[in-house]
Amino acid sequence: MTDDFRAVAPRHLNDAHVLSQSNRWAAAAYIGGYAIECGLKAFFLKWQDAREFSHDIQWLHKAITLLHVDSSYAKYAVQLTPLRPGTLCWSEKLRYKKAHPAFDPKSVSDILEDASAIVCLMQEAMLDGKIA
């Protein structure tokens, strides 16, 4: 079975929104971060297996800016906005935390805004035929 980052990113984003609307901040933050991670990893599939990358969304986000090596991907790197402060504290290890700065409503809002932008950019790249 192969990973399908393109399919799960929007699903995680939708789930995170539902959890946020129910004031389930910890779960919304956790799942929203995975939407970001999967959306970013979808861009790397052309060059290598994205499963080889860590869960570090800050590193993944920064690496996307290196996509200018292939000029047909440069427009996506340019459109990628800096991660918001609430997103910068996300980690896959949040699942083990009882409390964390990422669990407050403002941080969750930051995570969901970043996830929405990244998923939208990923879907644009799919429509452009850049992500298969």
Side-chain angles (χ1 to χ4, degrees):
M1 177 180 270
T2 60
D3 294 329
D4 190 349
F5 299 112
R6 299 156 304 181
V8 298
R11 185 184 73 207
H12 288 325
L13 177 60
N14 290 335
D15 290 347
H17 277 294
V18 169
L19 290 162
S20 175
Q21 291 165 356
S22 299
N23 298 329
R24 302 278 316 276
W25 308 119
Y30 183 67
I31 299 298
Y34 275 112
I36 294 170
E37 179 185 337
C38 292
L40 292 173
K41 283 183 174 181
F43 279 95
F44 290 102
L45 294 176
K46 177 178 178 177
W47 294 282
Q48 74 183 82
D49 187 346
R51 289 175 296 182
E52 296 175 15
F53 295 110
S54 74
H55 297 285
D56 185 344
I57 60 176
Q58 290 182 56
W59 183 89
L60 289 166
H61 185 272
K62 184 177 180 180
I64 291 290
T65 63
L66 301 177
L67 288 176
H68 69 276
V69 297
D70 183 333
S71 62
S72 64
Y73 285 82
K75 82 174 203 175
Y76 309 109
V78 169
Q79 292 180 50
L80 199 59
T81 58
L83 293 173
R84 291 166 177 81
T87 304
L88 294 175
C89 64
W90 185 88
S91 163
E92 82 283 2
K93 294 179 176 87
L94 289 179
R95 65 185 177 266
Y96 303 120
K97 305 289 184 191
K98 181 176 181 178
H100 191 275
F103 298 162
D104 74 64
K106 173 61 178 129
S107 292
V108 171
S109 176
D110 285 354
I111 291 168
L112 295 181
E113 287 182 44
D114 285 337
S116 294
I118 290 167
V119 168
C120 182
L121 195 60
M122 178 199 73
Q123 291 172 327
E124 179 183 339
M126 288 170 63
L127 289 172
D128 290 346
K130 300 299 180 186
I131 297 177

PDB file of all heavy atoms in Angstrom, residues 66-86:
ATOM      1  N   LEU A  66      13.073  25.510  -2.276  1.00  0.00           N
ATOM      2  CA  LEU A  66      14.168  25.056  -3.138  1.00  0.00           C
ATOM      3  C   LEU A  66      13.655  24.472  -4.449  1.00  0.00           C
ATOM      4  O   LEU A  66      14.440  24.071  -5.300  1.00  0.00           O
ATOM      5  CB  LEU A  66      15.017  24.020  -2.404  1.00  0.00           C
ATOM      6  CG  LEU A  66      15.641  24.492  -1.092  1.00  0.00           C
ATOM      7  CD1 LEU A  66      16.401  23.354  -0.422  1.00  0.00           C
ATOM      8  CD2 LEU A  66      16.550  25.686  -1.325  1.00  0.00           C
ATOM      9  N   LEU A  67      12.347  24.443  -4.610  1.00  0.00           N
ATOM     10  CA  LEU A  67      11.782  23.877  -5.835  1.00  0.00           C
ATOM     11  C   LEU A  67      12.110  24.711  -7.070  1.00  0.00           C
ATOM     12  O   LEU A  67      11.820  24.308  -8.186  1.00  0.00           O
ATOM     13  CB  LEU A  67      10.260  23.729  -5.709  1.00  0.00           C
ATOM     14  CG  LEU A  67       9.780  22.633  -4.775  1.00  0.00           C
ATOM     15  CD1 LEU A  67       8.261  22.660  -4.672  1.00  0.00           C
ATOM     16  CD2 LEU A  67      10.242  21.269  -5.246  1.00  0.00           C
ATOM     17  N   HIS A  68      12.718  25.864  -6.862  1.00  0.00           N
ATOM     18  CA  HIS A  68      13.105  26.670  -8.017  1.00  0.00           C
ATOM     19  C   HIS A  68      14.125  25.955  -8.890  1.00  0.00           C
ATOM     20  O   HIS A  68      14.368  26.366 -10.016  1.00  0.00           O
ATOM     21  CB  HIS A  68      13.651  28.030  -7.563  1.00  0.00           C
ATOM     22  CG  HIS A  68      14.965  27.933  -6.863  1.00  0.00           C
ATOM     23  ND1 HIS A  68      15.071  27.657  -5.530  1.00  0.00           N
ATOM     24  CD2 HIS A  68      16.233  28.056  -7.336  1.00  0.00           C
ATOM     25  CE1 HIS A  68      16.341  27.617  -5.195  1.00  0.00           C
ATOM     26  NE2 HIS A  68      17.075  27.850  -6.269  1.00  0.00           N
ATOM     27  N   VAL A  69      14.702  24.853  -8.402  1.00  0.00           N
ATOM     28  CA  VAL A  69      15.630  24.088  -9.239  1.00  0.00           C
ATOM     29  C   VAL A  69      14.917  23.552 -10.469  1.00  0.00           C
ATOM     30  O   VAL A  69      15.531  23.297 -11.486  1.00  0.00           O
ATOM     31  CB  VAL A  69      16.296  22.923  -8.471  1.00  0.00           C
ATOM     32  CG1 VAL A  69      17.137  23.456  -7.336  1.00  0.00           C
ATOM     33  CG2 VAL A  69      15.279  21.935  -7.953  1.00  0.00           C
ATOM     34  N   ASP A  70      13.630  23.390 -10.370  1.00  0.00           N
ATOM     35  CA  ASP A  70      12.805  23.008 -11.518  1.00  0.00           C
ATOM     36  C   ASP A  70      11.898  24.201 -11.780  1.00  0.00           C
ATOM     37  O   ASP A  70      10.955  24.447 -11.033  1.00  0.00           O
ATOM     38  CB  ASP A  70      11.987  21.751 -11.178  1.00  0.00           C
ATOM     39  CG  ASP A  70      11.156  21.264 -12.343  1.00  0.00           C
ATOM     40  OD1 ASP A  70      10.788  22.088 -13.205  1.00  0.00           O
ATOM     41  OD2 ASP A  70      10.858  20.066 -12.384  1.00  0.00           O
ATOM     42  N   SER A  71      12.192  24.970 -12.793  1.00  0.00           N
ATOM     43  CA  SER A  71      11.488  26.231 -13.028  1.00  0.00           C
ATOM     44  C   SER A  71       9.976  26.072 -13.139  1.00  0.00           C
ATOM     45  O   SER A  71       9.236  27.006 -12.869  1.00  0.00           O
ATOM     46  CB  SER A  71      12.041  26.931 -14.268  1.00  0.00           C
ATOM     47  OG  SER A  71      11.837  26.121 -15.409  1.00  0.00           O
ATOM     48  N   SER A  72       9.500  24.894 -13.501  1.00  0.00           N
ATOM     49  CA  SER A  72       8.046  24.711 -13.615  1.00  0.00           C
ATOM     50  C   SER A  72       7.372  24.655 -12.246  1.00  0.00           C
ATOM     51  O   SER A  72       6.158  24.704 -12.153  1.00  0.00           O
ATOM     52  CB  SER A  72       7.727  23.455 -14.427  1.00  0.00           C
ATOM     53  OG  SER A  72       8.198  22.299 -13.763  1.00  0.00           O
ATOM     54  N   TYR A  73       8.157  24.570 -11.173  1.00  0.00           N
ATOM     55  CA  TYR A  73       7.605  24.549  -9.807  1.00  0.00           C
ATOM     56  C   TYR A  73       7.834  25.861  -9.073  1.00  0.00           C
ATOM     57  O   TYR A  73       7.376  26.045  -7.957  1.00  0.00           O
ATOM     58  CB  TYR A  73       8.213  23.400  -8.997  1.00  0.00           C
ATOM     59  CG  TYR A  73       7.652  22.066  -9.393  1.00  0.00           C
ATOM     60  CD1 TYR A  73       8.146  21.390 -10.505  1.00  0.00           C
ATOM     61  CD2 TYR A  73       6.610  21.498  -8.682  1.00  0.00           C
ATOM     62  CE1 TYR A  73       7.621  20.176 -10.890  1.00  0.00           C
ATOM     63  CE2 TYR A  73       6.076  20.277  -9.061  1.00  0.00           C
ATOM     64  CZ  TYR A  73       6.583  19.626 -10.164  1.00  0.00           C
ATOM     65  OH  TYR A  73       6.053  18.420 -10.551  1.00  0.00           O
ATOM     66  N   ALA A  74       8.549  26.782  -9.688  1.00  0.00           N
ATOM     67  CA  ALA A  74       8.926  28.027  -9.015  1.00  0.00           C
ATOM     68  C   ALA A  74       7.702  28.821  -8.565  1.00  0.00           C
ATOM     69  O   ALA A  74       7.714  29.422  -7.497  1.00  0.00           O
ATOM     70  CB  ALA A  74       9.809  28.865  -9.931  1.00  0.00           C
ATOM     71  N   LYS A  75       6.636  28.821  -9.357  1.00  0.00           N
ATOM     72  CA  LYS A  75       5.467  29.625  -8.975  1.00  0.00           C
ATOM     73  C   LYS A  75       4.846  29.147  -7.664  1.00  0.00           C
ATOM     74  O   LYS A  75       4.303  29.936  -6.912  1.00  0.00           O
ATOM     75  CB  LYS A  75       4.429  29.658 -10.092  1.00  0.00           C
ATOM     76  CG  LYS A  75       3.500  28.498 -10.184  1.00  0.00           C
ATOM     77  CD  LYS A  75       2.428  28.743 -11.242  1.00  0.00           C
ATOM     78  CE  LYS A  75       1.207  27.930 -11.001  1.00  0.00           C
ATOM     79  NZ  LYS A  75       0.135  28.227 -11.935  1.00  0.00           N
ATOM     80  N   TYR A  76       4.955  27.870  -7.354  1.00  0.00           N
ATOM     81  CA  TYR A  76       4.395  27.360  -6.097  1.00  0.00           C
ATOM     82  C   TYR A  76       5.273  27.769  -4.919  1.00  0.00           C
ATOM     83  O   TYR A  76       4.765  28.112  -3.851  1.00  0.00           O
ATOM     84  CB  TYR A  76       4.225  25.844  -6.145  1.00  0.00           C
ATOM     85  CG  TYR A  76       3.481  25.408  -7.377  1.00  0.00           C
ATOM     86  CD1 TYR A  76       4.129  24.742  -8.410  1.00  0.00           C
ATOM     87  CD2 TYR A  76       2.130  25.708  -7.532  1.00  0.00           C
ATOM     88  CE1 TYR A  76       3.456  24.370  -9.555  1.00  0.00           C
ATOM     89  CE2 TYR A  76       1.449  25.346  -8.683  1.00  0.00           C
ATOM     90  CZ  TYR A  76       2.118  24.680  -9.689  1.00  0.00           C
ATOM     91  OH  TYR A  76       1.456  24.317 -10.831  1.00  0.00           O
ATOM     92  N   ALA A  77       6.583  27.750  -5.129  1.00  0.00           N
ATOM     93  CA  ALA A  77       7.504  28.171  -4.073  1.00  0.00           C
ATOM     94  C   ALA A  77       7.286  29.643  -3.740  1.00  0.00           C
ATOM     95  O   ALA A  77       7.312  30.034  -2.580  1.00  0.00           O
ATOM     96  CB  ALA A  77       8.944  27.918  -4.500  1.00  0.00           C
ATOM     97  N   VAL A  78       7.038  30.459  -4.759  1.00  0.00           N
ATOM     98  CA  VAL A  78       6.822  31.887  -4.559  1.00  0.00           C
ATOM     99  C   VAL A  78       5.505  32.144  -3.825  1.00  0.00           C
ATOM    100  O   VAL A  78       5.414  33.043  -2.996  1.00  0.00           O
ATOM    101  CB  VAL A  78       6.835  32.622  -5.922  1.00  0.00           C
ATOM    102  CG1 VAL A  78       6.363  34.050  -5.780  1.00  0.00           C
ATOM    103  CG2 VAL A  78       8.222  32.577  -6.517  1.00  0.00           C
ATOM    104  N   GLN A  79       4.479  31.360  -4.103  1.00  0.00           N
ATOM    105  CA  GLN A  79       3.167  31.560  -3.484  1.00  0.00           C
ATOM    106  C   GLN A  79       3.101  31.074  -2.038  1.00  0.00           C
ATOM    107  O   GLN A  79       2.193  31.443  -1.303  1.00  0.00           O
ATOM    108  CB  GLN A  79       2.078  30.827  -4.283  1.00  0.00           C
ATOM    109  CG  GLN A  79       1.817  31.413  -5.645  1.00  0.00           C
ATOM    110  CD  GLN A  79       0.738  30.630  -6.364  1.00  0.00           C
ATOM    111  OE1 GLN A  79      -0.318  30.377  -5.817  1.00  0.00           O
ATOM    112  NE2 GLN A  79       1.020  30.248  -7.597  1.00  0.00           N
ATOM    113  N   LEU A  80       4.045  30.254  -1.644  1.00  0.00           N
ATOM    114  CA  LEU A  80       4.034  29.702  -0.297  1.00  0.00           C
ATOM    115  C   LEU A  80       4.361  30.794   0.710  1.00  0.00           C
ATOM    116  O   LEU A  80       5.422  31.402   0.667  1.00  0.00           O
ATOM    117  CB  LEU A  80       5.059  28.575  -0.213  1.00  0.00           C
ATOM    118  CG  LEU A  80       4.916  27.587   0.918  1.00  0.00           C
ATOM    119  CD1 LEU A  80       3.558  26.882   0.876  1.00  0.00           C
ATOM    120  CD2 LEU A  80       6.023  26.572   0.861  1.00  0.00           C
ATOM    121  N   THR A  81       3.422  31.065   1.606  1.00  0.00           N
ATOM    122  CA  THR A  81       3.622  32.127   2.593  1.00  0.00           C
ATOM    123  C   THR A  81       4.374  31.577   3.803  1.00  0.00           C
ATOM    124  O   THR A  81       4.360  30.373   4.060  1.00  0.00           O
ATOM    125  CB  THR A  81       2.267  32.694   3.058  1.00  0.00           C
ATOM    126  OG1 THR A  81       1.486  31.632   3.615  1.00  0.00           O
ATOM    127  CG2 THR A  81       1.508  33.312   1.902  1.00  0.00           C
ATOM    128  N   PRO A  82       5.030  32.451   4.577  1.00  0.00           N
ATOM    129  CA  PRO A  82       5.708  31.989   5.796  1.00  0.00           C
ATOM    130  C   PRO A  82       4.709  31.347   6.760  1.00  0.00           C
ATOM    131  O   PRO A  82       3.548  31.748   6.820  1.00  0.00           O
ATOM    132  CB  PRO A  82       6.282  33.267   6.391  1.00  0.00           C
ATOM    133  CG  PRO A  82       6.346  34.234   5.255  1.00  0.00           C
ATOM    134  CD  PRO A  82       5.207  33.871   4.339  1.00  0.00           C
ATOM    135  N   LEU A  83       5.172  30.372   7.491  1.00  0.00           N
ATOM    136  CA  LEU A  83       4.308  29.724   8.475  1.00  0.00           C
ATOM    137  C   LEU A  83       3.987  30.698   9.602  1.00  0.00           C
ATOM    138  O   LEU A  83       4.844  31.450  10.046  1.00  0.00           O
ATOM    139  CB  LEU A  83       4.990  28.482   9.043  1.00  0.00           C
ATOM    140  CG  LEU A  83       5.197  27.328   8.067  1.00  0.00           C
ATOM    141  CD1 LEU A  83       6.027  26.232   8.720  1.00  0.00           C
ATOM    142  CD2 LEU A  83       3.874  26.771   7.576  1.00  0.00           C
ATOM    143  N   ARG A  84       2.741  30.668  10.059  1.00  0.00           N
ATOM    144  CA  ARG A  84       2.304  31.532  11.148  1.00  0.00           C
ATOM    145  C   ARG A  84       2.874  31.032  12.482  1.00  0.00           C
ATOM    146  O   ARG A  84       3.212  29.865  12.616  1.00  0.00           O
ATOM    147  CB  ARG A  84       0.786  31.564  11.182  1.00  0.00           C
ATOM    148  CG  ARG A  84       0.184  32.296   9.991  1.00  0.00           C
ATOM    149  CD  ARG A  84      -1.320  32.027   9.874  1.00  0.00           C
ATOM    150  NE  ARG A  84      -1.898  32.778   8.792  1.00  0.00           N
ATOM    151  CZ  ARG A  84      -1.858  32.418   7.506  1.00  0.00           C
ATOM    152  NH1 ARG A  84      -1.260  31.300   7.154  1.00  0.00           N
ATOM    153  NH2 ARG A  84      -2.408  33.159   6.574  1.00  0.00           N
ATOM    154  N   PRO A  85       2.939  31.931  13.478  1.00  0.00           N
ATOM    155  CA  PRO A  85       3.534  31.561  14.767  1.00  0.00           C
ATOM    156  C   PRO A  85       2.935  30.307  15.414  1.00  0.00           C
ATOM    157  O   PRO A  85       3.666  29.468  15.943  1.00  0.00           O
ATOM    158  CB  PRO A  85       3.294  32.800  15.634  1.00  0.00           C
ATOM    159  CG  PRO A  85       3.207  33.920  14.663  1.00  0.00           C
ATOM    160  CD  PRO A  85       2.562  33.332  13.436  1.00  0.00           C
ATOM    161  N   GLY A  86       1.622  30.162  15.367  1.00  0.00           N
ATOM    162  CA  GLY A  86       1.005  28.986  15.976  1.00  0.00           C
ATOM    163  C   GLY A  86       1.414  27.692  15.316  1.00  0.00           C
ATOM    164  O   GLY A  86       1.504  26.645  15.964  1.00  0.00           O
TER     165      GLY A  86
END
